[in-house]
Amino acid sequence: MDICPIRLRYELDYWRIPTPFMSPCCILEENNNIAGKLSTEKAFVDSSLPSSCFDKVVLGPQRLKLYRLMENPRSSSGAKVFSVGSAVFVLLSLLGLILSSMPELQDENKEPHYLLHYLELLCMVYFTFEYLARLLVNPKKAEFIRSPLNVIDLLTVLPFMIEAFNELQWMKEFRGAMLVVRVMRLARVARIFKLARYSTGLRAFGETMKKSAAELSMLGMFLVTGIMLFSTAIYFFERDEPNSKFYSIPAACWWCKFFI
């Protein structure tokens, strides 16, 4: 629904793919009247959840408007502004994460500059508010929580919350609490995938990867086979040489993967 029909038509013509070869759900409609355009736009607006899901819930019309505002950037100009603002917060949080690793912007305790800390706090407050607001307006909360993009949103906020609780004295009594926090900090990298929510191209790329799972797994098997073959060969050829770096097959795999 996010691809221009004209560009799709040009792509099919270039590859000489007849339109009837397409799946029934992807066939281009030849009718270009206003009613057809309106129905297409309405289908795009309701592509995530149909409006009927909001009929029997509390404050259904209001929740439907908020749902479209936060989930569908093309539903209105306000939704587009909200999408751009969310993407800006994601980029700011990534920028703060990168700058906080620079020694020039750290204190003697290797903690980030206080401005970066406030920037992180501001972004986390916004991400928390956005996640809770989208959770409240969604009528199907179980599906919402299991959605991959929403799991990424939760992983974006969860490390910050755990680190905030770690400042409490009772948390310091638990053994290995800081180790858990350091591991959870790695989850901050997941916030880069939040851009997929606001980018049609990234969504299309993810869908392509999903549809091509069988082909990608076959490619991975070929790569693993080649790595194992050549790394085993170089190990047996070079293991008797003095100061050989191929002292084991895993060490040879590390060399071999750069050439495969």
Side-chain angles (χ1 to χ4, degrees), residues 48-225:
S48 297
L49 280 180
S51 57
S52 59
C53 296
F54 296 86
D55 292 340
K56 298 181 180 181
V57 297
V58 180
L59 300 176
Q62 292 80 6
R63 291 172 65 177
L64 177 60
K65 291 181 180 179
L66 291 176
Y67 175 82
R68 290 176 175 175
L69 176 68
M70 292 183 287
E71 298 287 350
N72 189 357
R74 294 190 179 184
S75 61
S76 63
S77 57
K80 185 176 295 185
V81 172
F82 179 82
S83 175
V84 173
S86 299
V88 169
F89 272 99
V90 174
L91 294 176
L92 287 176
S93 64
L94 291 173
L95 179 62
L97 179 63
I98 295 173
L99 294 179
S100 63
S101 64
M102 298 177 61
E104 296 84 358
L105 299 177
Q106 296 177 349
D107 56 15
E108 59 276 3
N109 297 324
K110 294 186 178 181
E111 293 295 329
H113 194 269
Y114 71 94
L115 292 179
L116 296 177
H117 178 72
Y118 289 143
L119 177 62
E120 177 79 5
L121 179 62
L122 176 64
C123 293
M124 289 301 106
V125 169
Y126 179 82
F127 293 151
T128 305
F129 170 78
E130 179 192 15
Y131 182 83
L132 294 178
R134 292 175 51 246
L135 176 62
L136 290 175
V137 301
N138 197 301
K140 298 183 178 181
K141 293 180 172 49
E143 295 181 3
F144 176 87
I145 295 175
R146 293 195 300 264
S147 175
L149 289 177
N150 296 325
V151 171
I152 292 174
D153 292 345
L154 184 60
L155 290 177
T156 302
V157 179
L158 195 59
F160 180 81
M161 296 298 179
I162 293 179
E163 192 170 354
F165 277 107
N166 187 62
E167 297 296 331
L168 299 178
Q169 189 65 31
W170 66 272
M171 278 290 292
K172 296 180 180 179
E173 298 177 359
F174 286 95
R175 199 171 176 181
M178 285 302 300
L179 179 61
V180 174
V181 171
R182 290 180 180 178
V183 173
M184 291 300 296
R185 282 181 177 178
L186 296 176
R188 293 181 178 181
V189 183
R191 69 186 62 172
I192 193 173
F193 296 105
K194 283 178 65 68
L195 293 175
R197 183 180 300 281
Y198 317 109
S199 173
T200 303
L202 289 177
R203 287 190 182 185
F205 179 75
E207 192 66 23
T208 303
M209 298 287 288
K210 180 180 178 181
K211 297 294 185 181
S212 305
E215 291 78 7
L216 291 175
S217 61
M218 183 64 67
L219 176 62
M221 288 298 298
F222 278 120
L223 291 176
V224 171
T225 301

